[in-house]
Amino acid sequence: MPRFTERDWPQFQQIGRVRPDHVLLDLLQQAGLAKEQVDLFGLSGGAQLAHRFAMLYPHRVGTLHLAAPGWYTLPDTSVPWPLGLKQGPAQGTPNGTGRRLRGFDAAALSRLQLRHYLALKVRLWVGAMDTGRDASLRQTDPLDALQGKTRLERAAAYAEAFCRAACAHGITPDIDLTVLPGCGHDFTDCARIGGLATRVLHHG
């Protein structure tokens, strides 16, 4: 993943009014991988971007590795965007005339690609102690009710939602959740104590 600075990309985790997906596509182009499938890994906010990128471009992804994202866009067309893929309120930004300029409709394109996304190999990773609720974790009543209150709970909820959606489309889900013992929301601990890097490399 490229590094998205907070100043230039304050909402890099989401794809809509800003287009971090274009940065990833450009990176693949520069690496000579424009026509190749790649295994994609993201941690925390990077995992939020990774699964939303994969929803839009499932044909570009081999195995999708998601490590402790704060929250997910569920593969559920009955849940309003961005918690799910049902069309939510009008998207866009004010243009100075009282009207809104319509932005990129990530929900609509993700719905079109949903069967392909649900056929991906997905590996979820989260620390057993990743149960904090600090300012870095998105907290709203609808989100807490739908996905849980911690990254650990939300990973389990996502795995369940993914399996349910895949089965509804006649697809055998290939998703696995690994809880890393002794680890919180820290990549160094996840790698050193939980063996995250080694596990990702050998858990395709």
Side-chain angles (χ1 to χ4, degrees), residues 78 157 166 197 200:
S78 70
V200 168

Side-chain angles (χ1 to χ4, degrees), residues 89-107:
Q91 300 176 10
T93 54
N95 65 359
T97 66
R99 299 180 180 179
R100 298 183 73 82
L101 296 173
R102 189 160 185 82
F104 172 66
D105 194 342

Side-chain angles (χ1 to χ4, degrees), residues 43-44 68 127 129-130 151 180 182-194 196:
L43 172 76
S44 194
M129 299 168 60
D130 199 347
R151 291 180 177 87
L180 304 172
C183 299
H185 195 65
D186 181 272
F187 176 76
T188 300
D189 284 349
C190 288
R192 181 174 56 85
I193 300 172
L196 177 59

Side-chain angles (χ1 to χ4, degrees), residues 68-84:
W71 62 288
Y72 301 80
T73 295
L74 301 180
D76 188 333
T77 57
S78 70
V79 176
W81 176 265
L83 292 179

Side-chain angles (χ1 to χ4, degrees), residues 6 19 28 36 44 72 89 106 111 120 126-127 129 152 155 180 186-187 190 201:
E6 184 175 355
R19 299 300 304 274
L28 294 176
E36 305 292 329
S44 194
Y72 301 80
R111 288 195 300 273
L120 290 180
V126 64
M129 299 168 60
L152 185 60
L180 304 172
D186 181 272
F187 176 76
C190 288
L201 289 174

Side-chain angles (χ1 to χ4, degrees), residues 147-196:
Q147 298 187 24
K149 293 186 175 182
T150 70
R151 291 180 177 87
L152 185 60
E153 292 177 0
R154 292 174 183 181
Y158 186 75
E160 182 179 345
F162 188 98
C163 288
R164 186 167 55 247
C167 291
H169 284 81
I171 297 168
T172 300
D174 189 355
I175 187 169
D176 180 67
L177 169 59
T178 299
V179 178
L180 304 172
C183 299
H185 195 65
D186 181 272
F187 176 76
T188 300
D189 284 349
C190 288
R192 181 174 56 85
I193 300 172
L196 177 59

